[in-house]
Amino acid sequence: MKLNERSLAFYATCDSPADNAGFLYKRGERHTAYHRRWFVLKGNMLFYFEERESREPVGVIVLEGCTVELCDSAEEFTFAIRFGGAKSRTYVLAAESQAAMESWVKSLSRASFDYMRLVVRELEKQLEEMRWRPAGGCGGCRQLPGSWKSKPSGLERSPERPLALPTVLPKENGCAVWNNMPGADRPPDSSSCGGYDSEGNPQPPPLPPRRRALSSEAGGAGVAAAESTSIFCRLHEQYGQEVARLRQDWMEKRRGPRP
Amino acid sequence: MRYNERELLSLARQPAEKAAEVLMRLPKKGSVLKKRLVKLVVNFLFYFRTDEAEPIGALLLEQCRIIKEEENVFSISFVEEPERKYCFECDSEEQCQEWIEALKRASYEFMRRSLIFYRNEIQKMTGKDPLEQYGISEEARFQLGTRKQ
């Protein structure tokens, strides 16, 4: 199977943020000697280089579907990246200290695409709920599903990949979930670099797809419009109440203090 | 570059975020449009011959640009070689737009930026860091303005 290797090599060495980096000893596949390599974790890709200064990785481990385990080994600070298939290779790695080992096990356990997606969705939901609640509501305090708490021991698992998203968005509280992922109303140059404005403030993710349905003539308007209408009504009512309150305050102030 | 092909092939068999039969052209000179099954799974776009179970190839969708070309057509190119374009011709303009949207959202980097943005917004509104409950608030990758270590 062909892979866009040149782009992969660029991704490995470009200045996009690394989730972890450092020297690890990697045990060979056939020969059990360990080789010291410079590892760089970006997202769900674990690259390894011959030297820290090497311009191209020797290889990459795609981490989707893996589990990370501590090893019962003569070597100190070893851990393994294991995959599910019958003939799958297990990558045995050794760190240079307890702290390094723990750091790697933690970051590799959280490296899957789905983990990141779940955290993003959770924050998105929190933000939406905060925007809907009247002032003074408790927006930020949510109970976590237990599985996301970081475990103190070294045994960590990457979650199984859930099924693909249904094409019709599930509804919550009678209204559709706002969006699954931020939509793609992006300015032309934003898909790779960027994400920050000139002052270094993070740019908002693009508008959710539903808003585009409002303004576009294209199909799918039926469901999207109905959802948008109910959200709009809620918004309208909420702002209406606020306006009514402000008006009342203003009128009372005009009348002056009561005797 | 070595990579764990077996796991990548296994990933290609997972349920897709999006899949369709389209015409695809590789960036190689003299390439022509060919009917392919393309399948988006996490941040990979796999492409198959329409009657085969194993993909011909995979594109990791990081540091890439998704660009609308002519009618029904979009391209994927990579930041370090912007002239080298993988072209995709869809059945309709609508399908084309859907793919562009889906692919732009498909990168891990995109999700990271969204996460940082939402975290920042929530922190501004509540004064609290929403990542603390996950125990990941100190991780370098979620800091504003994080660059290469």
Side-chain angles (χ1 to χ4, degrees):
Chain A
M1 175 172 53
K2 260 186 279 176
L3 206 52
N4 52 329
E5 289 191 17
R6 270 210 296 270
S7 313
L8 236 70
F10 176 79
Y11 178 49
T13 52
C14 77
D15 64 357
S16 69
D19 298 307
N20 209 333
F23 285 106
L24 291 170
Y25 292 87
K26 179 169 163 290
R27 197 168 78 184
E29 200 166 359
R30 268 163 257 152
H31 315 287
T32 52
Y34 283 83
H35 292 109
R36 192 174 188 243
R37 297 275 179 258
W38 177 254
F39 280 78
V40 174
L41 173 64
K42 287 193 180 185
N44 52 0
M45 309 291 282
L46 181 63
F47 297 97
Y48 52 99
F49 299 76
E50 180 125 7
E51 309 279 345
R52 185 172 181 167
E53 307 78 30
S54 302
R55 280 191 301 148
E56 235 179 65
V58 169
V60 62
I61 303 170
V62 179
L63 295 169
E64 291 295 322
C66 76
T67 54
V68 185
E69 299 171 1
L70 293 180
C71 273
D72 216 359
S73 165
E75 293 292 327
E76 278 189 302
F77 316 128
T78 46
F79 58 97
I81 298 172
R82 217 180 273 281
F83 292 95
K87 295 189 196 153
S88 286
R89 178 186 168 171
T90 295
Y91 294 87
V92 178
L93 302 170
E96 291 175 323
S97 69
Q98 180 73 14
M101 182 195 70
E102 286 176 7
S103 157
W104 276 103
V105 169
K106 236 202 305 194
S107 46
L108 290 169
S109 306
R110 293 174 179 144
S112 77
F113 193 86
D114 286 328
Y115 175 87
M116 179 61 110
R117 181 153 55 184
L118 267 148
V119 176
V120 171
R121 285 203 193 140
E122 179 60 30
L123 294 196
E124 221 178 343
K125 226 168 39 160
Q126 281 186 33
L127 197 56
E128 283 313 313
E129 285 180 5
M130 272 189 276
R131 285 175 177 160
W132 285 120
R133 289 215 172 100
C138 166
C141 338
R142 289 179 62 81
Q143 263 316 305
L144 254 193
S147 54
W148 295 119
K149 292 226 154 70
S150 78
K151 299 186 173 82
S153 79
L155 184 62
E156 303 244 6
R157 289 183 156 270
S158 288
E160 296 297 319
R161 282 201 71 249
L163 295 176
L165 299 171
T167 47
V168 176
L169 300 179
K171 290 182 185 292
E172 283 181 5
N173 302 323
C175 299
V177 172
W178 193 241
N179 50 21
N180 287 320
M181 298 266 270
D185 243 5
R186 291 187 139 257
D189 65 344
S190 60
S191 58
S192 56
C193 333
Y196 293 91
D197 64 20
S198 52
E199 290 165 39
N201 297 317
Q203 291 281 45
L207 292 175
R210 287 202 302 110
R211 288 195 203 168
R212 284 192 61 208
L214 270 179
S215 49
S216 79
E217 320 151 46
V223 174
E227 293 163 2
S228 313
T229 308
S230 72
I231 300 275
F232 176 75
C233 290
R234 222 192 333 165
L235 242 187
H236 184 70
E237 220 213 304
Q238 205 167 339
Y239 287 150
Q241 284 172 5
E242 206 181 306
V243 167
R245 263 198 307 274
L246 288 167
R247 259 187 96 219
Q248 196 172 20
D249 287 345
W250 178 76
M251 304 255 279
E252 282 180 12
K253 282 189 185 130
R254 275 195 82 199
R255 278 195 287 269
R258 297 203 165 170
Chain B
M1 199 189 306
R2 278 186 242 140
Y3 66 97
N4 46 335
E5 187 170 36
R6 194 173 284 123
E7 281 71 43
L8 205 52
L9 288 173
S10 166
L11 193 61
R13 291 191 290 269
Q14 299 293 318
E17 182 80 23
K18 206 167 173 55
E21 267 186 25
V22 296
L23 297 172
M24 178 180 175
R25 191 177 69 224
L26 297 173
K28 228 174 13 183
K29 232 184 226 168
S31 269
V32 294
L33 285 170
K34 292 189 181 151
K35 197 167 186 204
R36 295 285 180 251
L37 171 65
V38 293
K39 195 172 169 186
L40 175 62
V41 182
V42 297
N43 50 351
F44 280 95
L45 185 70
F46 295 99
Y47 50 100
F48 303 69
R49 286 193 190 90
T50 50
D51 55 350
E52 289 180 6
E54 206 175 278
I56 311 169
L59 300 176
L60 176 70
L61 299 167
E62 302 291 340
Q63 300 292 313
C64 66
R65 289 208 173 94
I66 318 294
I67 297 170
K68 171 94 172 80
E69 305 284 345
E70 64 260 29
E71 195 179 350
N72 296 350
V73 178
F74 69 89
S75 69
I76 301 175
S77 58
F78 294 89
V79 161
E80 83 283 0
E81 276 180 312
E83 296 317 310
R84 240 179 132 248
K85 295 184 176 188
Y86 294 79
C87 290
F88 300 84
E89 186 175 318
C90 303
D91 284 338
S92 69
E93 192 51 41
E94 189 189 345
Q95 191 191 36
C96 184
Q97 284 304 326
E98 282 175 12
W99 272 99
I100 292 174
E101 281 186 36
L103 292 167
K104 281 181 173 177
R105 288 178 265 150
S107 73
Y108 200 99
E109 293 305 310
F110 177 89
M111 283 203 296
R112 188 203 308 277
R113 288 199 296 271
S114 306
L115 186 149
I116 290 173
F117 172 78
Y118 292 135
R119 179 193 190 186
N120 200 42
E121 289 296 295
I122 292 171
Q123 204 154 9
K124 280 198 294 204
M125 286 172 81
T126 65
K128 285 197 212 128
D129 178 2
L131 292 189
E132 255 176 53
Q133 58 192 350
Y134 294 91
I136 56 177
S137 52
E138 294 313 307
E139 291 190 6
R141 57 180 160 150
F142 299 131
Q143 308 312 319
L144 288 174
T146 298
R147 282 293 173 251
K148 188 178 187 177
Q149 290 187 0

